[in-house]
Amino acid sequence: MQTHTDGSASFTSGGIFFRGVRADATQIAGLRQAVRQWLGTLHLEPDHEHDVVLASYEALANAVEHAYSADDEMATVDLEVTFRPQERHLEVTVADHGRWRDMIHDPNASRGHGLALIRKLTTEMVVTPGSDGTHVAMRWAL
């Protein structure tokens, strides 16, 4: 499987893993495509596949937008997607290595709903900000 990422990638029947991918829009678009292609091999319900792709991409976009300053040349993200067929669970983890930056809230803005969207699309979601970056863990019971 070919992707458009700078970081290292690993593909197995149980998951896909990307480390050190440049945190910019073109690179995470390649990750979205890789997730979609890999999920296609699992033969999931189309709604589940759509939810996983959308939530994963939203978490990646949040990392790009909120974890780093626009001029940070070292900004990277990691993505891990695993499927446990015996348990019928699919898990996605998105991690950045930046700092959580709250955006200024504009009451007229239509932005800022990414985490709420992810929460609605997943069975379970946990956001863990820390000194080494933010980790978003998403889980689906299939």
Side-chain angles (χ1 to χ4, degrees), residues 122-134:
T122 60
T123 304
E124 180 182 2
M125 178 194 72
V126 177
V127 178
T128 309
S131 60
D132 63 339
T134 301

Side-chain angles (χ1 to χ4, degrees), residues 58-118:
E58 186 63 37
L60 288 162
N62 281 348
V64 169
E65 183 173 355
H66 299 295
Y68 303 103
S69 62
D71 61 346
D72 188 341
E73 294 295 321
M74 302 303 290
T76 62
V77 295
D78 301 332
L79 172 69
E80 180 175 325
V81 185
T82 55
F83 179 58
R84 292 177 172 73
Q86 302 84 352
E87 301 166 21
R88 297 296 297 162
H89 287 152
L90 190 128
E91 297 177 11
V92 175
T93 302
V94 172
D96 65 60
H97 309 283
R99 290 203 162 137
W100 186 277
R101 296 182 309 127
D102 284 325
M103 302 306 283
I104 297 172
H105 296 287
D106 177 354
N108 298 318
S110 63
R111 300 178 43 79
H113 303 288
L115 293 178
L117 174 63
I118 294 169

